[in-house]
Amino acid sequence: MKFTKIGLVSLFSLFWVNLALGQGTPAPAPQGNGQPVEVSANTLQSGRYNGEEVRRLLGNVVMRQGQTTLTSDSAYQYASDRNKLEVFGNVHITQPGMDATSATASYDGTRRIANMRGGVTLRDEQMTLTTPSLDYDLNAKRAYYTMAGNIVGPDYTIQSQLGTYTSDDKVLTFKKNIKYLGQNAEVVSDTMSYNTVTKVVEFFGPTTIKSPDGTLYANRGTYNTVTRESNFRGNASIKTPDYLIKGEVLTYDKTKEYYTASRNVSMTSIKDTTIITGQTALYWRARGRAKVYGSPVMRTIEKRDTMYLSADTLVSVENVKDKTKKGKLFAYNDVRIFKSDLQGLCDSLTFDQQDSTIYMSRNPRLWANKNQMTADSVILMLRNNTIDQMRMFGNSFAISIDTLENYNQVKGRSMIARFANGKIRRIDVNGNAESLYFALQGDSTTMGMNRAVSSDMRMMFDEGKVQYITFLEQPDAKLIPPHELKDPDKRLKGFVWRSDEKPTRAHVLAKRGPKKKTTPAKPAASPAKSKKDQKADKKAKPAPKQNKVLKKPLAKVETGN
């Protein structure tokens, strides 16, 4: 590069630059809509740079264009387009509300774009940005960088590989390796924006947010760093001290300590291996209360087995007074239970997870292996996730089926059934006890049927078979031989075998639809009866109800003591 020294002069405008160069031809009009660039410096030299004719400005270079001022140690101004400059050393660009510094820069006054390189710092009243290089559009007041930037605000810092900042709307947009650190949160993301006024983070790619409220993850959403309100979408999750909540859409209201989740929801308890799934979940963290509906299912997972429990609605209540203890689960409307050794149905249920006790009410029905148990209400006690004891109250009825498909039956006011390894071991009947069981010879011959009535009794079982019965008071008992057995004799009053109701795993997990409302049809009006016909109706006895029985050859009976 060859330059001709003109001398030490003070250049206050582009007009004076032309005079110092001794050129009588006027400067070409600026291209586009850019205003003319006014330049001043201590010294001017002429020469060529990158094959083009330029003017070299040395010492206290000042460039002005409208409300924009650029200062540097030196600059090249292109003769072909005097709105274009290359500036070097202590570059400083200012305009209302913003200033930027760098080692070097290229400035296009027509397009109003500055390409700043080397230790760039951009400041406004909201934040300070540092980066190796920065492109700044002065018209749009938009800065963008591609070589790792660091932004420091009054109460936050943001790092990213790529970024854009729009000064007018105070929005920062970032891509790749983003890390936000604030007073209330740490955000790691792939693509996000941050409004320096509203303090809202909006993200458009996989994002993790750690805050005092828990760890949040989602593919899309917003997070207010001040109020800590959240709205997440796409494979979203929130991990609190008590739950890991997942769903396609998650929201959080810090003021109310209230979480919502919808679409493919799961809530995993941190304290144990309980998982609740459904389509909608509501969680009041301060109250320790969660509600799940939309085909909800609770899974209690153990090494050997998993218990599935479903209902129209599940409500989990934590022990807020003692966080070390487990809480309770409430299930209502069409409750279904499935385990490999236990199945059950009822309309309302409470599961105390601290002592593994299940309270069932409103038509409870239970099946344990080949045993069926019903009552007005039932308390079911588990040990190591296996049935240990069952307490039945009001109209208690237990039925077991033997190898010849005979129905052994016991009923009473209340019962306590005890189990070992998931199999019934003993039944204690208290009040109005009645029993009916078949004595077998081996597993192939029926020797008779024992029927007994007593105030209280105890039945002992082995491998599901009745071994003997103990009566606490003198019983009314008899053994009926096989050839005298009639169908009505084989059933205690209230007998109903409900094997077709026993829920399967698929039935418990099945999607639930809206309940169908049916309007019963009105009975057709009957013609008036004469007094003679009415008297005949009163005398007529109803036909006995026929129970379906499995026909098997009867044989001799074997009784145990």
Side-chain angles (χ1 to χ4, degrees):
M1 292 179 290
K2 184 178 180 180
F3 295 92
T4 302
K5 187 173 182 181
I6 302 300
L8 295 174
V9 294
S10 178
L11 307 174
F12 296 101
S13 66
L14 184 57
F15 175 73
W16 292 111
V17 170
N18 292 333
L19 289 180
L21 289 169
Q23 295 183 5
T25 57
Q31 301 173 10
N33 297 321
Q35 299 177 12
V37 173
E38 299 178 354
V39 179
S40 67
N42 292 339
T43 303
L44 175 67
Q45 295 177 351
S46 64
R48 301 185 69 81
Y49 177 74
N50 288 339
E52 293 191 46
E53 185 180 349
V54 297
R55 300 164 181 81
R56 189 183 187 196
L57 311 174
L58 300 173
N60 297 320
V61 177
V62 179
M63 181 220 77
R64 292 185 178 88
Q65 186 183 38
Q67 292 183 303
T68 302
T69 300
L70 183 154
T71 63
S72 67
D73 294 339
S74 63
Y76 296 159
Q77 184 180 37
Y78 290 95
S80 60
D81 185 351
R82 293 173 189 167
N83 271 11
K84 288 185 178 181
L85 293 93
E86 304 288 342
V87 291
F88 307 93
N90 297 313
V91 178
H92 190 188
I93 301 176
T94 62
Q95 66 176 166
M98 185 283 299
D99 73 90
T101 60
S102 65
T104 66
S106 298
Y107 181 69
D108 185 334
T110 303
R111 297 170 57 212
R112 301 267 292 160
I113 292 177
N115 305 115
M116 308 181 74
R117 302 292 182 263
V120 181
T121 300
L122 182 143
R123 300 179 184 87
D124 73 0
E125 64 272 18
Q126 300 292 335
M127 60 88 204
T128 299
L129 162 65
T130 57
T131 181
S133 65
L134 180 75
D135 297 330
Y136 188 72
D137 185 329
L138 284 85
N139 283 332
K141 295 186 179 181
R142 182 182 298 114
Y144 40 97
Y145 59 88
T146 60
M147 296 180 62
N150 187 70
I151 295 172
V152 178
D155 54 3
Y156 66 89
T157 62
I158 304 175
Q159 300 171 350
S160 70
Q161 186 66 34
L162 309 173
T164 302
Y165 176 56
T166 304
S167 180
D168 281 346
D169 56 19
K170 310 302 181 186
V171 173
L172 295 150
T173 303
F174 309 98
K175 289 186 177 182
K176 292 186 180 181
N177 304 322
I178 304 164
K179 187 173 184 179
Y180 167 95
L181 291 174
Q183 291 181 333
N184 296 321
E186 174 185 318
V187 182
V188 177
S189 182
D190 177 72
T191 304
M192 64 168 266
S193 67
Y194 177 67
N195 190 307
T196 59
V197 177
T198 64
K199 310 295 184 182
V200 172
V201 170
E202 183 172 7
F203 47 92
F204 310 90
T207 300
T208 300
I209 301 175
K210 295 181 180 179
S211 75
D213 308 305
T215 300
L216 320 172
Y217 175 86
N219 289 330
R220 182 78 187 268
T222 59
Y223 176 76
N224 190 310
T225 61
V226 177
T227 65
R228 301 193 328 237
E229 293 181 5
S230 309
N231 191 324
F232 305 132
R233 301 180 296 282
N235 192 27
S237 67
I238 301 175
K239 186 176 182 181
T240 73
D242 302 300
Y243 285 104
L244 172 61
I245 307 171
K246 295 182 178 181
E248 289 299 315
V249 179
L250 294 178
T251 66
Y252 173 57
D253 186 330
K254 169 62 181 174
T255 305
K256 298 179 180 179
E257 291 282 329
Y258 176 57
Y259 298 81
T260 70
S262 59
R263 295 170 52 194
N264 302 320
V265 172
S266 70
M267 296 184 66
T268 303
S269 174
I270 304 299
K271 298 186 182 72
D272 50 43
T273 53
T274 299
I275 302 173
I276 301 176
T277 59
Q279 291 303 310
T280 302
L282 312 176
Y283 177 41
W284 296 264
R285 182 178 173 184
R287 295 161 55 189
R289 182 182 177 89
K291 180 179 180 180
V292 184
Y293 52 94
S295 302
V297 178
M298 184 198 74
R299 293 166 172 82
T300 302
I301 302 171
E302 296 291 342
K303 293 181 180 179
R304 295 182 298 173
D305 200 1
T306 298
M307 183 175 77
Y308 302 88
L309 187 154
S310 69
D312 289 345
T313 303
L314 298 180
V315 176
S316 176
V317 179
E318 303 164 23
N319 190 329
V320 293
K321 294 183 179 179
D322 188 349
K323 288 287 188 177
T324 64
K325 294 183 179 180
K326 298 179 181 179
K328 295 181 180 180
L329 180 86
F330 299 91
Y332 48 90
N333 295 341
D334 192 12
V335 181
R336 308 168 192 173
I337 301 173
F338 178 86
K339 273 179 87 280
S340 61
D341 58 354
L342 176 69
Q343 298 81 45
L345 297 171
C346 66
D347 198 62
S348 180
L349 176 148
T350 300
F351 181 18
D352 189 332
Q353 294 169 291
Q354 179 62 28
D355 58 11
S356 297
T357 301
I358 297 175
Y359 302 85
M360 305 174 67
S361 59
R362 298 183 66 181
N363 195 23
R365 291 143 284 164
L366 287 153
W367 295 265
N369 295 314
K370 293 185 178 182
N371 302 287
Q372 173 186 293
M373 284 147 285
T374 58
D376 293 341
S377 63
V378 172
I379 298 177
L380 186 63
M381 301 177 183
L382 305 179
R383 180 178 294 177
N384 299 324
N385 202 36
T386 301
I387 182 171
D388 180 66
Q389 189 178 127
M390 185 184 300
R391 301 191 174 197
M392 296 171 279
F393 305 94
N395 298 311
S396 304
F397 207 123
I399 306 171
S400 62
I401 189 167
D402 63 21
T403 54
L404 297 182
E405 299 187 357
N406 295 310
Y407 296 100
N408 296 311
Q409 303 152 54
V410 59
K411 61 180 290 190
R413 190 165 54 243
S414 64
M415 291 187 199
I416 300 176
R418 292 175 171 84
F419 295 77
N421 298 320
K423 295 182 179 179
I424 193 166
R425 177 63 183 161
R426 181 175 114 191
I427 293 180
D428 293 321
V429 188
N430 301 311
N432 301 329
E434 295 182 56
S435 70
L436 183 158
Y437 74 94
F438 292 82
L440 304 183
Q441 184 176 19
D443 290 331
S444 59
T445 306
T446 300
M447 296 186 65
M449 185 188 76
N450 290 288
R451 185 161 189 164
V453 177
S454 178
S455 61
D456 305 288
M457 68 174 66
R458 173 175 295 168
M459 302 181 71
M460 301 301 296
F461 294 79
D462 184 25
E463 295 296 325
K465 301 176 185 177
V466 179
Q467 295 301 296
Y468 60 87
I469 302 177
T470 301
F471 301 95
L472 303 185
E473 291 188 8
Q474 186 64 32
D476 178 8
K478 63 179 178 179
L479 174 65
I480 303 174
H483 64 277
E484 295 182 9
L485 285 174
K486 298 180 181 179
D487 285 346
D489 299 329
K490 297 179 182 179
R491 305 286 185 267
L492 294 177
K493 185 178 179 180
F495 173 93
V496 180
W497 183 244
R498 303 173 179 269
S499 61
D500 57 333
E501 298 179 18
K502 183 165 67 171
T504 62
R505 180 175 176 273
H507 181 57
V508 173
L509 299 178
K511 184 178 179 181
R512 294 167 180 252
K515 301 296 182 183
K516 295 182 179 179
K517 294 183 179 180
T518 57
T519 303
K522 294 182 179 180
S526 341
K529 292 186 178 182
S530 64
K531 291 183 179 181
K532 183 177 180 181
D533 289 338
Q534 292 176 8
K535 289 180 180 179
D537 288 343
K538 290 181 181 180
K539 292 181 180 180
K541 294 182 179 180
K545 183 179 179 180
Q546 297 296 320
N547 291 307
K548 182 180 178 181
V549 297
L550 299 171
K551 296 182 179 180
K552 290 284 182 180
L554 301 179
K556 293 179 87 181
V557 140
E558 178 182 349
T559 58
N561 296 317

